Amino acid sequence: MTTTEVPVGEVDPFSRSTLENPLPFQAALRDAGPIVPLTRYDDLYGMGRYAEVHAALLDWQRFCSGSGVGLSNFRREQPWRPPSLLLETDPPHHDAPRRVLAPILGPRALRRLREQWFAAGEEHVDALLADSGPAGVVEVDVMPALAESFPLRVFPDAVGIPREGREHLLPYGDHLFNAFGPANDLVAKGAPHVAEHAGWVNAQCAREVLTDDGFGAAIWAAADRGEITAEQAPLVVRSLLSAGVDTTVHGLGAVLRAMATHPEAWARLRADPKLARVAFDEAIRWESPVQTFFRTAEVDVPVGDTVVPEGAKILMFLGSANRDPRHWADPDRFDLDRDPSGHVGFGMGLHQCVGQHVARLEAEALLAALAARVERIEVAAAPTRHHNNTMRAFETQPMRLRLDR
Ligand code: OVM
């Protein structure tokens, strides 16, 4: 039971009150069992415990993605956009696009960007801190000033898209992540503008539009080598523009929240900037910017005492798994001393985030630049949440950055 008298299976996971604070709902869901019918929607089950979520993510044969990873079942409903060749497919179709993209976004390829992004981080932070008064304090909403602007500064350039029109990226992503959920008011709010945003995004995926040295060009080069087709290439580029912006914005929002609310962790990170990577992954576990994805039962699947019928949707609560006390000690605590690896904030298995090295590099570059100049990050006012059917996000995070002098 949640704080109200409603059984957890009858709670709407996508209501505004659940989105504002999903933690009590998630705790009740985990306690109710390994899998729970979610009766607000047809043929839907929810999984909130780490063990089952982790196992299901590895079991792509029975928990498939090809019928969509949102509530909508592509066997019955027309998807709102052509399905992603990476996210919304199963083997064997999934494999060629994944094989192409993985090395383009892999650690070896990113070495080329490391110096550039660290320099960009320094410039970005210097520009923000230039406004500090005589007290050496900058009070700012870090969502626009850091979490949004830094990914928007480095990532679209790395993909190789033109400057013009980049304001479409965040609203496109916000709508896309809402569209994995039910057709509620959040989806209705985005619907009038989808066509403009999607039209622009799709147009950036053409070979002629992309620079010849970015991730986009590397995808087209794989098409030239016959590793994917020329029809597939633009959709693989689209995945970068779909999954690569809002996710990192809210990942950075999460790690900034962690640093502001855990000053001792910030002090340790300053003393040892190598801790930036574990801080980021622990923040991904703790906040889980991507909260949920769905799977579809390929056959009747027994889970505990329940049989999920073939064709039913299963809502996998990644954020809940990442805070399951059955798996994690003191899971609600942000703890730089824990090993967060094994968290499912980037998913797990075949579909595990192919861009995670890019995300980590962005976080490292920004945190290193902040660590070099900012002694303390303080919460200046209560943050506000941005509601999204998939993402756990902040709208605003007013903070005070106290400079080291
Ligand atoms: C894609 C895609 C879109 C949204 C999210 C995502 C988190 C992938 O278009 O491939 O992964």
Side-chain angles (χ1 to χ4, degrees):
M1 305 284 263
T2 51
T3 48
T4 62
E5 291 306 300
V6 182
V8 66
E10 294 173 24
V11 173
D12 182 0
F14 303 99
S15 74
R16 293 303 190 119
S17 63
T18 315
L19 294 176
E20 178 66 24
N21 177 13
L23 302 183
F25 164 77
Q26 292 173 359
L29 182 72
R30 289 189 300 264
D31 288 346
I35 192 155
V36 179
L38 298 176
T39 60
R40 288 294 192 105
Y41 302 96
D42 293 336
D43 308 317
L44 179 63
Y45 295 77
M47 265 187 188
R49 294 185 185 173
Y50 181 89
E52 283 77 19
V53 168
H54 184 262
L57 289 171
L58 293 175
D59 186 356
W60 57 267
Q61 291 95 335
R62 293 191 300 168
F63 294 93
C64 73
S65 293
S67 302
V69 296
L71 180 61
S72 168
N73 189 327
F74 294 176
R75 301 182 198 182
R76 298 195 287 265
E77 287 177 86
Q78 165 99 352
W80 75 272
R81 59 171 203 167
S84 164
L85 301 181
L86 288 139
L87 183 72
E88 297 159 323
T89 57
D90 298 305
H93 310 288
H94 165 266
D95 301 337
R98 175 80 189 203
R99 246 193 324 269
V100 162
L101 195 52
I104 293 172
L105 304 179
R108 290 178 61 86
L110 294 186
R111 280 191 290 201
R112 191 175 63 86
L113 287 174
R114 192 175 174 88
E115 254 185 75
Q116 251 173 271
W117 285 12
F118 272 66
E122 283 176 28
E123 266 186 50
H124 206 76
V125 166
D126 284 349
L128 178 65
L129 299 184
D131 291 338
S132 68
V137 181
V138 173
E139 191 165 321
V140 68
D141 179 357
V142 299
M143 291 312 294
L146 293 171
E148 288 170 13
S149 54
F150 188 62
L152 284 172
R153 176 183 186 132
V154 294
F155 183 72
D157 281 350
V159 175
I161 62 171
R163 289 227 131 66
E164 181 81 28
R166 290 181 182 187
E167 67 278 4
H168 289 287
L169 287 167
L170 285 174
Y172 177 79
D174 189 53
H175 183 75
L176 166 66
F177 282 98
N178 275 327
F180 293 121
N184 58 15
D185 61 315
L186 290 166
V187 174
K189 170 194 75 166
H193 307 284
V194 213
E196 304 161 46
H197 300 315
W200 179 84
V201 164
N202 294 339
Q204 310 315 303
C205 301
R207 140 175 269 162
E208 317 75 65
V209 175
L210 294 157
T211 61
D212 55 17
D213 60 352
F215 299 146
I219 290 166
W220 276 102
D224 291 340
R225 294 191 301 269
E227 296 168 13
I228 51 173
T229 68
E231 289 69 46
Q232 290 176 307
L235 279 171
V236 177
V237 179
R238 192 193 68 180
S239 282
L240 297 183
L241 301 178
S242 300
V245 188
D246 302 65
T247 50
T248 51
V249 166
H250 296 299
L252 293 175
V255 76
L256 289 168
R257 179 107 220 115
M259 295 298 105
T261 53
H262 298 74
E264 68 300 333
W266 181 244
R268 284 179 60 190
L269 189 149
R270 291 196 72 204
D272 180 8
K274 283 195 294 296
L275 286 174
R277 291 176 84 80
V278 70
F280 183 63
D281 266 79
E282 171 65 351
I284 297 301
R285 182 199 67 79
W286 187 58
E287 181 73 7
S288 300
V290 175
Q291 285 273 297
T292 46
F293 268 123
F294 297 71
R295 292 291 189 262
T296 311
E298 183 66 21
V299 293
D300 287 353
V301 189
V303 180
D305 300 330
T306 304
V307 175
V308 180
E310 185 258 310
K313 285 274 174 175
I314 304 98
L315 180 47
M316 325 268 293
F317 288 87
L318 309 175
S320 173
N322 283 341
R323 285 178 180 245
D324 183 358
R326 295 158 191 80
H327 182 82
W328 307 95
D330 206 357
D332 294 333
R333 231 178 78 129
F334 176 88
D335 182 0
L336 271 189
D337 287 318
R338 85 164 80 236
D339 176 5
S341 65
H343 75 71
V344 293
F346 286 129
M348 194 50 68
L350 215 61
H351 290 280
Q352 192 182 34
C353 180
V354 72
Q356 60 184 287
H357 309 286
V358 181
R360 288 199 189 96
L361 185 59
E362 286 178 42
E364 252 189 296
L366 185 63
L367 291 173
L370 286 168
R373 295 203 49 200
V374 176
E375 186 175 353
R376 274 179 75 90
I377 306 176
E378 296 168 359
V379 174
T384 55
R385 287 286 176 183
H386 173 78
H387 294 174
N388 181 282
N389 283 335
T390 301
M391 285 182 298
R392 185 145 162 81
F394 291 105
E395 184 70 41
T396 64
Q397 289 204 79
M399 289 184 181
R400 268 187 302 272
L401 311 177
R402 289 196 187 278
L403 307 211
D404 201 4
R405 293 182 304 164

